[in-house]
């Protein structure tokens, strides 16, 4: 449901695995854009997506009625999701999971409009580009059943994804909260003139970001502690880290800061922006393949 960036990524992934996809989007021209995106993204995957298995409709209820799994990728606005899920709940079979790709809205906020089967409503939040990045956050709402959560996790694993189960509803789930914490301090440091936009990007991408791409923050911290592991790190660096936390900034997105960030990124990417996303995606694929070869998945 929704043929934008997330919807086309889901469609590409499913089609590349030989599954039938029924896409729904009321926007004029959505079908043409979707088919073009699927062709481009399946080429990136190196697995052909059989577009004869891709059907399109502007009728959301019709699509839901013919589906075994519904993946919603509509606008990130609560009123839109509530209206959409009310239709999906009426149209889809009782055993069909209704999974929202919401990046921050909790399932409970739109689950309550599903009068028939609220227990099958949840969030399955992927990450751009969704046909390449393996992570998906699975988050239930107040009425979501354990059966729906486990069925979703199992299905995503069969699709080659690496889902995590988020056990509590929070704004932004888990990953966007982590990203927001980093962005918060990054904006603060740039706003205070401590570092340039380009140098901050370099500080992350050529420093801790390299390690975080291979192992998570806890495992990385454990390795940095030598024989004592993370226990040694927390014992020796824990107290000063508390002082760093107290000194972290709380920036406001003033027009001046926004302009500094925008102009900084423009200057940083002035010579590279044209095919940057394509090269980024190729690097992602090679990195994922290397991690698999070395058992770091």
């Amino acid at each position: 449901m929704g043929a934008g960036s997330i919807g086309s990524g889901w469609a590409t992934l499913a089609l590349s695995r030989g599954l039938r996809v029924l896409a729904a989007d009321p926007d004029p021209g959505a079908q043409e854009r979707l088919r073009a995106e699927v062709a481009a993204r399946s080429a990136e995957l190196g697995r052909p997506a059989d577009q004869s298995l891709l059907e399109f409709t502007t009728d959301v209820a019709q699509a839901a009625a013919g589906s075994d799994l519904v993946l919603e990728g509509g606008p990130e606005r609560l009123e839109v999701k509530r209206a959409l899920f009310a239709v999906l709940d009426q149209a889809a079979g009782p055993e069909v999971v209704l999974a929202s790709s919401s990046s921050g809205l909790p399932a409970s906020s739109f689950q309550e409009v599903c009068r028939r089967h609220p227990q099958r409503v949840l969030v399955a939040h992927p990450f751009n580009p969704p046909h390449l990045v393996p992570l998906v956050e699975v988050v239930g709402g107040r009425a979501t059943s354990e059966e729906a959560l486990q069925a979703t996790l199992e299905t995503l694993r069969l699709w080659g994804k690496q889902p995590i189960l988020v056990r509590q509803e929070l704004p932004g789930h888990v990953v966007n909260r982590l990203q927001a914490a980093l962005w918060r301090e990054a904006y603060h440091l740039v706003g205070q003139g401590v570092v340039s936009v380009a140098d901050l990007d370099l500080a992350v991408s050529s420093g801790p970001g390299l390690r975080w791409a291979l192992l998570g923050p806890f495992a990385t911290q454990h390795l940095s502690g030598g024989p004592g592991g993370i226990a040694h790190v927390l014992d020796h660096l824990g107290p000063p880290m508390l002082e760093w936390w107290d000194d972290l900034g709380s920036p406001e997105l003033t027009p001046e800061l926004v302009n500094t960030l925008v102009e900084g990124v423009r200057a940083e990417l002035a010579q590279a922006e044209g095919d940057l996303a394509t090269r980024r995606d190729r690097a992602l694929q090679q990195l994922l393949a290397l991690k698999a070869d070395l058992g770091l998945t």
Side-chain angles (χ1 to χ4, degrees):
M1 305 302 162
S5 176
I6 296 299
S8 62
W10 279 130
T12 301
L13 183 66
L15 289 167
S16 71
R17 294 180 171 271
L19 299 172
R20 184 177 69 90
V21 173
L22 180 53
D25 194 310
D27 189 51
Q31 179 174 190
E32 290 73 19
R33 290 192 298 273
L34 173 62
R35 292 189 179 277
E37 281 291 313
V38 167
R41 291 182 167 193
S42 62
E44 290 179 348
L45 280 175
R47 295 196 302 268
D50 184 356
Q51 293 213 27
S52 69
L53 296 174
L54 174 60
E55 302 174 50
F56 187 88
T57 179
T58 58
D59 189 332
V60 169
Q62 177 189 351
S67 297
D68 300 307
L69 170 66
V70 174
L71 297 167
E72 177 269 330
E76 188 76 350
R77 298 200 301 273
L78 181 56
E79 69 275 11
V80 173
K81 294 204 184 295
R82 287 174 66 88
L84 181 55
F85 271 83
V87 173
L88 296 175
D89 184 53
Q90 289 294 320
E95 75 289 350
V96 175
V97 168
L98 307 181
S100 174
S101 296
S102 172
S103 59
L105 294 172
S108 295
S109 64
F110 46 85
Q111 185 178 55
E112 62 188 27
V113 303
C114 299
R115 306 296 187 188
R116 294 177 65 232
H117 302 288
Q119 74 281 357
R120 41 80 173 273
V121 177
L122 50 83
V123 167
H125 175 226
F127 293 84
N128 264 317
H131 62 300
L132 295 179
V133 178
L135 182 68
V136 182
E137 294 176 300
V138 176
V139 196
R142 285 188 292 270
T144 307
S145 70
E146 184 66 21
E147 290 78 10
L149 291 169
Q150 292 304 320
T152 303
L153 292 167
E154 181 179 355
T155 298
L156 291 169
R157 292 185 187 114
L158 287 172
W159 288 14
K161 290 296 189 181
Q162 292 178 296
I164 63 170
L165 178 61
V166 180
R167 303 176 185 276
Q168 182 178 343
E169 289 187 298
L170 295 168
H173 313 316
V174 167
V175 178
N176 279 338
R177 292 174 70 91
L178 292 172
Q179 292 188 130
L182 177 60
W183 285 326
R184 174 177 170 173
E185 184 61 14
Y187 295 167
H188 170 70
L189 292 172
V190 169
Q192 295 297 306
V194 174
V195 67
S196 70
V197 168
D199 279 352
L200 193 138
D201 271 348
L202 189 64
V204 175
S205 65
S206 293
L210 288 173
R211 298 182 299 184
W212 292 338
L214 303 175
L215 296 169
F218 294 139
T220 296
Q221 200 172 37
H222 177 71
L223 291 181
S224 71
I230 193 171
H232 173 77
V233 173
L234 294 176
D235 183 45
H236 288 269
L237 292 182
M241 186 164 53
L242 294 176
E243 296 179 9
W244 302 342
W245 286 349
D246 289 339
D247 195 52
L248 294 177
S250 298
E252 295 183 11
L253 284 177
T254 63
E256 293 76 17
L257 177 55
V258 170
N259 183 67
T260 298
L261 296 171
V262 170
E263 293 303 319
V265 171
R266 284 177 178 167
E268 177 188 4
L269 303 182
Q271 305 301 319
E273 199 163 7
D275 66 341
L276 185 59
T278 299
R279 288 186 285 126
R280 187 271 319 264
D281 290 355
R282 288 175 59 192
L284 275 174
Q285 290 175 280
Q286 293 177 27
L287 178 59
L288 288 168
L290 179 63
K291 288 181 64 173
D293 287 344
L294 295 176
L296 293 174
T297 55

